[in-house]
Amino acid sequence: MKIAPSILSADMLNLGADVQKVEDAGAEYLHIDIMDGNFVPNLSFGANVVKTLRSQSKMVFDVHLMVNNPENWVEDFIKAGADIVGVHYEATPHIHRALDLIKKNNAKAEVVINPGTPVSAIESVLSIVDQVLVMTVDPGFGGQKFIPETLEKIRQLHQIKEERNLNFDIEVDGGINEETVKLCREAGATVAVAGSYVFNSGNETHAERINKLRN
């Protein structure tokens, strides 16, 4: 399983150093949450932050757009250095257009679904995506408790992937720790986002926490 530390839980005053720590610890992805204060209540970063971090890191930048009308934001974040761009099914009436725009700009396309959105809502675009992100908490806030009902959606996606011979990763985001990641992996998840579990690691190192998630 690939591990994607979320910088929402990093030390914003020492963001570059924290990103370097998780890269040195073996994380494959860096999960970057972009929030517009509209689709979700909080505000986070702009494309300029992604551009700055890009010059400092070789990790895969997994940019999660928690914004309304994400098609208006896609190109700026790809130019800034995003490798994967995730757009919410719930955030646009034009989900196919948004995903197609990501692909046309030479990044990997990810469709994201909230806990209350069924897998059936995105079945028509699964053949064009590189990754599906299943939100295992409600989006917009860190430190929430994992929603166990989301495991069934992971199983459904894994079954569709196998039956149709599709080739997308299944990512999970929210309440991920060494217990919940095992449940997600058993259900079929291949990428795990973890924020506070990695960055607020207590007496353990970032590498120890990442290895616990991976194994």
Side-chain angles (χ1 to χ4, degrees):
M1 176 172 280
K2 303 183 188 83
I3 306 302
S6 171
I7 64 171
L8 277 186
S9 298
D11 180 355
M12 291 299 111
L13 293 177
N14 298 285
L15 184 56
D18 262 7
V19 167
Q20 188 63 56
K21 285 179 183 178
V22 294
E23 184 165 8
D24 290 345
E28 295 91 348
Y29 289 7
L30 187 69
H31 192 80
I32 305 172
D33 285 311
I34 307 301
M35 300 184 286
D36 65 354
N38 193 345
F39 181 70
V40 293
N42 285 333
L43 285 166
S44 63
F45 319 102
N48 58 325
V49 173
V50 176
K51 184 177 181 180
T52 299
L53 291 174
R54 180 74 285 171
S55 66
Q56 302 173 23
S57 174
K58 295 180 180 179
M59 282 185 288
V60 173
F61 277 15
D62 177 18
V63 174
H64 174 193
L65 297 181
M66 289 185 276
V67 302
N68 282 324
N69 302 309
E71 56 270 29
N72 296 334
W73 300 60
V74 161
E75 292 182 85
D76 285 346
F77 280 96
I78 294 174
K79 288 177 183 176
D83 299 295
I84 303 169
V85 178
V87 294
H88 275 260
Y89 166 81
E90 305 87 359
T92 175
H94 307 294
I95 190 62
H96 187 282
R97 180 186 300 169
L99 294 166
D100 187 55
L101 183 62
I102 296 167
K103 304 280 276 190
K104 285 180 177 176
N105 280 274
N106 300 311
K108 291 186 176 181
E110 173 185 72
V111 63
V112 189
I113 52 174
N114 285 338
T117 301
V119 169
S120 59
I122 59 168
E123 280 196 62
S124 62
V125 298
L126 291 178
S127 62
I128 67 168
V129 300
D130 302 286
Q131 190 160 283
V132 179
L133 172 53
V134 176
M135 292 300 301
T136 47
V137 298
D138 289 308
F141 300 92
Q144 296 182 66
K145 187 176 179 181
F146 181 87
I147 300 173
E149 290 79 9
T150 57
L151 289 168
E152 180 56 30
K153 292 199 282 188
I154 301 168
R155 295 186 192 100
Q156 291 174 19
L157 284 163
H158 179 70
Q159 183 176 354
I160 292 171
K161 179 179 172 180
E162 294 295 307
E163 289 177 350
R164 300 184 189 177
N165 196 29
L166 299 175
N167 189 31
F168 55 82
D169 274 313
I170 301 172
E171 184 175 50
V172 290
D173 181 4
I176 299 300
N177 55 42
E178 59 188 286
E179 288 82 26
T180 56
V181 77
K182 292 176 183 176
L183 299 174
C184 293
R185 183 166 51 239
E186 289 168 359
T190 56
V191 183
V193 176
S196 57
Y197 181 79
V198 171
F199 284 107
N200 304 328
S201 54
N203 294 327
E204 295 183 300
T205 67
H206 291 5
E208 286 172 328
R209 285 292 176 96
I210 287 171
N211 286 332
K212 282 185 176 181
L213 292 174
R214 184 178 288 115
N215 300 319

